[in-house]
Amino acid sequence: MIDGQNVWAHPYVYNGTHSFLLEYIDKCKKGEIIIGNELMLQLDILAEHFNDPEILIDFEDGHKRIKFIETKCKHFEAPFSGKPFLLELFQKAFIEAIYIFKIFDDEIDHYVRLHQDVLFLVARKNGKTPLISALCLAEFFCGELGTRILCSSNDYEQADLMFQAINAMREESKTLSKVTRSNIKGIFFGNPRKPKKRGKFSYQNKGQIKKISAKTGAKEGKNIKVGAVDEAHELADNTSVMPIRQALSTQDDPLFIELTTEGVVNDGYLDERLKEARSVLHGELERRRWLIWMYTQDSEKEVWQDEESWYKSNPGMGVIKKRSFLRKMVEEAKTSKSMRVFVMSKDFNIKQNNATAWLTTEDIKNEETFELEKFRNSFAIGAVDLSRTGDLASARVIMIDKETMKKHTFQQYFIPESKLDNLARDEIETYKQWIRDGLITVSPGNENDFSLVTAWFVKLYKDYGIRPFKVGYDKWSAIYWVKEMEGYGFDCQKVPQEYGAMSEPMRLVEADLKSDMIIYNNNPVDKYCLENTALEMNSKMEMRPVKVQGKENMKIDGAVTMIIGYKIYIDNRNEFMQLIRR
């Protein structure tokens, strides 16, 4: 009941005013709009606010900003560039939810917004950054004199995306650009060509819009009214967020907005934030002034089985985001682990543990073997992963059969003698068998002797004429070993185990293993290393190999050398292929 009337009898009207929020709630309740359970929990809470005598319902501020966005703001990117920013119902409902609920503040003796903190979680490419950018611009013009706004993110480039979106909308409008100016420091009121001494749109108004990143520093001491943090999933902790929230503390009616998709950072800032948010939605934690607006799936299973469920995490599907794009992403995710991690987290807001197994048993299974004699007097790609005292050291050569184009890899592992005593009971016998089979070379004492690695490459050349075209190595502990290798005429190339270097070769290794294009001689140590390898992704969809969570004592060095070898191959493909085709 609202003021003695049944809300659902006139579901879209409150005290004579059309409410986009009530319209949205009603259509979601009827199933006309598909949303997930977590957003429905928030909408249930908001519906109760209409019945709360302590909450004033005032549409003026919210509708003023909606009107400003639709009449003053224009899109600036294809395919909507130059077109008016006409808001979808879910966007209008979201803006209403921020502004229409007011409570009386005894400390300042007047009404303020109920919601001062906002979490907006939605899948990528649903217009979250343009929407919040437009809302910030609306707040800049519709808010009080001296409104200061800060755009922030984990890195300067991402923070700049929001700032540039705001500035582009400002420039698109003759009305807005006429009374404002921008430079590298920010956006300000006052037109330098037609300066006015007084008034909201003159130099007298010291309002401003600026940008910072988590890496910028000097965040303390800013006095702002609106703080917007983009891509919160990339933050490792709250060290860059708390100064912004503290800077809002002097305001009577501050607004702090976090907008994000789900992330691939394990145990990061967003993980803790979402844990708190879900506790609030389920009534386990009191955060009355926090608006939690999350577009999430109810399960991963429904993503694969029901396309209509995609609306739960993609409210702009069909208008902002193409269904065909999503369908393509889902199809690719079915065959690629790395793509599945990215698509589930970024397109469907389903958190992925990116330190789970990279490959399945079927991906790794390949019992084909070969004799080195097959590649006598051949060129190869070399790769090493050197560890002085900890993990296995691994050395590898990769040869390509120019008829089948299959990559044949031969490898050797190295371990310090003292490390054998520290192995678990179930591992000792396995390692001893690998040593007896000649798969692992034992270095006397507590450290790996890298000269044994060099000797292995030299022996391959002397016995079979197999010469590495280039040898890839990680920079760890490799300075003197590289000099030794170069003394024998080997060309060594550094391959750091970082996202940028590891991502492309790791994808190709995955694809080649799945299509049986890698023949690793059914080496059990290789299998062991591949089974222990997980993929870790960043927000750019770049990946690198790490150990599977819970298997920190296991070894992945063989997988690493396979990836390093592929990096050398990719970087030198044309020249290497010319050599083997002679």
Side-chain angles (χ1 to χ4, degrees), residues 12 30 70 80 118 149 158 166 172 219 232 247 266 288 297 303 390 393-394 433 437 447 521-522 548 561:
Y12 308 158
K30 291 177 177 177
E70 294 202 313
F80 307 108
V118 178
I149 299 171
Q158 188 63 42
I166 295 172
E172 283 288 328
K219 295 180 280 288
N266 288 331
R288 192 183 184 205
Q297 300 290 143
V303 172
S394 172
Q433 184 60 52
D437 292 340
E447 296 183 331
N521 239 7
N522 201 22
V548 172
T561 54

Side-chain angles (χ1 to χ4, degrees), residues 360-368 513 516 520 522 527:
T360 67
T361 302
E362 285 300 312
D363 296 335
I364 300 168
K365 185 178 180 181
N366 187 321
E367 297 180 355
E368 188 175 345
L513 281 170
D516 292 330
Y520 58 88
N522 201 22
K527 282 185 178 180

